[in-house]
Amino acid sequence: IDSFNATFAGLIRWVPRTTQADYVAFNMVTANLNACASNFGRVGGRQQITGDPTCNASLLLHEMGHAMGLLHVQADPAAANFMTFFLDRMSPRYAFNSMPQTMSRAYSGYDYRSIMHYARNSFGMTPDGLTSNTKPPGMDIGIREGYSAGDRDTLLRIYGAPPTATTITSNPPGLRVLVDGNFVVTPLTVNWAIGSVHQLDIPVGLQSASGASFSFGRWSHDAEPVPQGAQSWSVIAGKDYPGQPAGAPETTVLTANFVRLLNISYAATGANSLGSYSITPETTPWPGSTSLFRPSTKFTLSAQGNAGAQPTFGWASAFSIAGGFGGGAGSAASATLRVSESVAAQLLSVSFSSPPGLLLTASGPGVDRSLAASVTGPNSVASVLMPYSRSGAGTYTITIADTQTRGTDERFVLDGIDGLDSPFANTVTVSNTSAFTPVNVRLHKEVQTVVQRNPTCGGTLALSDAGPWHAYGTVLNSTATPNSAVVFAGWTGSVSGMNPAISTAIGDTVPEIIANFNTIAEPLDISALAPGGVTGSGPWTIEIRGSGFTRATRVAVSGRALVPEYVDAHLLRLTLTGANLSPTGKTAIYLYNGLGGSCFAFSHTAALDALPSSATLTDYTDMWWAGAAENGWGMSITQHGAFQFAVLYVYDAGGKPIWYVMPGGAWNPNRTRFTGTLYLPTSSPFNAYDTSQFKANAPVGTATLAYSGTGTATLTYVIDGIAGSKALSRQIFGSGQAPMQVNDLWWNPAESGWGLNIAQQGATLFPVWYTYDAAGKDTWFVVPGGTWNGNSFTGDMYGTTGSPWLGAVYNPSALVVTKVGAMTLSFSDVNNGVMTYTVNGITQSKGIVRQPF
């Protein structure tokens, strides 16, 4: 509390309670919890910060942050642009902490240095230990030195004192950046006027601090796949949200994040009379160096001892370990380390010992990593990881804890020690012989099964073994029994199925057993909102897709219960007005079904990206291109409210037409950059279309559209590992007045997978048909103009071949344009039409409507 009050002196204080009705009580009495916890925000009355009395000051400051209204940074809805998460390596009991919180708002961009950010190995439950990493890898996270500049900025906004000056800082602080062409050492505070534009950049080369080297990684507000050091920053007025007044800048903290580089000393190979070894990093050293590596880089140490010799691996600091640190005499041994940032320089080594000596090993069900022991004598004490070898005759004392806990849900229990001379004294005497004296520690693995009823009031869940810990290899039987008038809705988590009784064998991972209850036999949940965002004054019709819907399902919007239109068990429709929207820019929507009495089944919460009617959002719908110098390819952008649907129509390595689709994404806080995932689908030929053949396929990359004005943008992309960027502008192709406005993305709902983008400028339409060739691969046709006849538009249709686009310099002279037929678009109204086309002698007609998204 003293630390907090010193940080926020004159602004915010924690004070002793006297007679206040609402207050925080610290209840630090749960020994061996190894963690602390807090309510989020003010809940009213007595609310607690609870946990282990060993929680240190930084953990308590973290929990105090929760009580004051700070969420975990890694739960930011945009976190996937800044982080890679390995949730399968994390305890399922705590994985939710690294999943998006739909109602959270980031005031200061993505704050890697926040006291609210988890570390790279938080709640790890596998030998690998790595549960998350930054993009690019190696930037500092999980720092508990106190509140970051972003933390302080956000708390001031929450508590009614939003800053007006802008702070430029770095992670870690004290590194150099360029601000409007001037070198500065961070942090720097400047009074920038709203509407002003400033240039940020990073000096060339590495920087040094506290014995470590640093290379630029990413600015806090740069969500692009390939981050850039040079940024043009516009000071934008707040959107008049809570904590973001219109009279102050929307954002007042900018952070340059740097990759930490560690000096790792090692010999790649070595040999002596006792054996040979190798040390192999998973990546090459940092460019221009021979020994600089990012934190969490994996090193594999391998050794082969000669007859009778025993290898031992050494390291200065490493936070995760897979494999042993020794092996049978004369056998191969290996170890894998991920180096941590705990020390700036680390030494990895391999040595060999020869008999006489002690060989300490560990074995048992589920023992999948090295376990700790204490070895005393002769003449020294060592904390070691088994297997372990040590030369020298004499008496050794082996001390093993009865249980060794890993994370929160995994432990190893001691069963006995074989090979001791005195089991009561835990000693063994090593004679002066030509062999190692073996001692084996027997243990078994136990996990703490994660069990949940959803909702808890819907029924019961009985386990064949009710104890919290279950031994490796145990078969655990689970039985779900719904209450009267309630239906069992299936198992989720690490189990699945509709049988209320299931069996699970305890293995290497922590079981997560969730029994769902509802009024029908499927869980109540939301999978998507369409559209996902709205703007303007409304009203809007929102389609809610998911499962477990009934005619009695109700929708909670910003805390108010609304009655939707029931279509079927997987689709609801809901009409919203501006009065339903949250002023924060994101409106929470969830569903609930009454299960009797005060019991309800709830869905997850979805977020509707909703701007108030007073907020402006530029509509970038149009055809975009790189100018006449790269004639022949382009990008169609269709925007519904705050959401964009973009398609790149370009050429593959052989010059054949191909298209990549970005069916959505997310804006940066300034709404100047839109980032999404790219797909390359496949399906059946356009003249014999079979929807069942459509496959979206796995993502091929990402793209970011950074808008520098209403008619200019920069496309940055990574496709199949190839990065690039293009300067784009709106393509001018028409004028005049048309009988109707039809610019949009159109489709036939019965033939999902292909689409027709109609760009319109005045009376001129520019349709691009995204479809599939005879082999089911992407192809496209264009109609770059035509004429109206009443409510019908007709134009010639062309196919093209051109210059390879990805990873190559575009050659516009390679463009070959071939007329393949004609297209007529006949509209019965502004939302419905018929597309009639002739392609290489094939004539067909298809009904089309505007595509919702």
Side-chain angles (χ1 to χ4, degrees), residues 274-625:
L274 296 178
S276 59
Y277 70 88
S278 65
I279 300 178
T280 308
E282 64 178 340
T283 62
T284 57
W286 191 260
S289 77
T290 58
S291 60
L292 294 181
F293 293 89
R294 307 172 195 249
S296 81
T297 298
K298 184 186 291 185
F299 284 79
T300 300
L301 291 72
S302 299
Q304 176 68 59
N306 294 333
Q310 187 67 229
T312 301
F313 302 124
W315 64 97
S317 176
F319 69 67
S320 65
I321 302 156
F325 288 80
S331 66
S334 66
T336 302
L337 301 176
R338 284 194 182 274
V339 296
S340 79
E341 54 265 57
S342 57
V343 292
Q346 303 192 46
L347 173 64
L348 304 182
S349 63
V350 181
S351 61
F352 295 91
S353 55
S354 57
L358 172 71
L359 176 58
L360 183 64
T361 57
S363 64
V367 176
D368 58 358
R369 71 181 95 177
S370 297
L371 294 167
S374 176
V375 178
T376 303
N379 303 320
S380 65
V381 179
S383 296
V384 304
L385 294 173
M386 301 177 286
Y388 168 77
S389 63
R390 184 166 170 181
S391 294
T395 300
Y396 291 83
T397 301
I398 314 297
T399 305
I400 309 288
D402 289 337
T403 60
Q404 297 187 37
T405 302
R406 298 288 186 269
T408 55
D409 294 322
E410 182 181 84
R411 70 182 185 184
F412 296 87
V413 179
L414 178 64
D415 294 321
I417 305 176
D418 299 327
L420 296 175
D421 295 330
S422 174
F424 297 102
N426 285 346
T427 59
V428 59
T429 299
V430 174
S431 302
N432 195 6
T433 64
S434 60
F436 283 95
T437 300
V439 174
N440 182 62
V441 179
R442 289 179 288 106
L443 308 100
H444 70 272
K445 180 179 179 179
E446 294 182 351
V447 298
Q448 189 167 219
T449 305
V450 178
V451 179
Q452 181 181 342
R453 291 168 292 153
N454 181 30
T456 56
C457 58
T460 61
L461 174 54
L463 302 181
S464 56
D465 180 355
W469 293 96
H470 301 114
Y472 190 92
T474 299
V475 175
L476 189 65
N477 299 314
S478 307
T479 304
T481 305
N483 293 337
S484 176
V486 178
V487 177
F488 174 64
W491 300 98
T492 52
S494 61
V495 294
S496 61
M498 295 302 298
N499 190 330
I502 59 167
S503 296
T504 304
I506 304 300
D508 293 326
T509 59
V510 175
E512 184 183 20
I513 300 173
I514 303 174
N516 297 283
F517 302 101
N518 197 3
T519 54
I520 62 174
E522 57 184 41
L524 179 65
D525 212 353
I526 296 176
S527 59
L529 302 175
V534 298
T535 188
S537 57
W540 311 275
T541 298
I542 308 298
E543 289 192 346
I544 304 173
R545 301 185 181 277
S547 63
F549 306 163
T550 72
R551 296 186 184 277
T553 299
R554 295 295 177 260
V555 185
V557 181
S558 295
R560 297 179 58 192
L562 301 178
V563 179
E565 173 194 351
Y566 173 82
V567 179
D568 55 40
H570 304 115
L571 177 61
L572 302 173
R573 291 194 180 96
L574 183 68
T575 299
L576 298 177
T577 66
N580 304 121
L581 303 185
S582 165
T584 64
K586 289 186 180 294
T587 296
I589 295 179
Y590 65 88
L591 311 178
Y592 62 92
N593 283 340
L595 303 186
S598 59
C599 183
F600 296 89
F602 294 96
S603 73
H604 289 98
T605 300
L608 182 69
D609 196 341
L611 294 174
S613 58
S614 60
T616 59
L617 180 67
T618 301
D619 187 351
Y620 296 101
T621 298
D622 217 331
M623 297 297 297
W624 294 70
W625 69 335

Side-chain angles (χ1 to χ4, degrees), residues 59-120:
L59 286 175
L60 292 176
L61 287 169
H62 174 98
E63 302 307 336
M64 291 162 68
H66 282 317
M68 290 183 290
L70 299 181
L71 287 168
H72 292 130
V73 177
Q74 72 273 4
D76 189 305
N81 295 319
F82 297 87
M83 294 290 298
T84 301
F85 296 102
F86 308 102
L87 296 182
D88 57 327
R89 304 176 186 175
M90 190 180 295
S91 165
R93 193 183 306 276
Y94 297 97
F96 75 92
N97 287 307
S98 296
M99 295 178 182
Q101 294 283 339
T102 57
M103 285 299 293
S104 65
R105 283 191 59 79
Y107 285 115
S108 305
Y110 195 87
D111 190 1
Y112 290 113
R113 199 167 187 85
S114 170
I115 200 170
M116 309 307 296
H117 204 300
Y118 275 6
R120 265 180 268 272

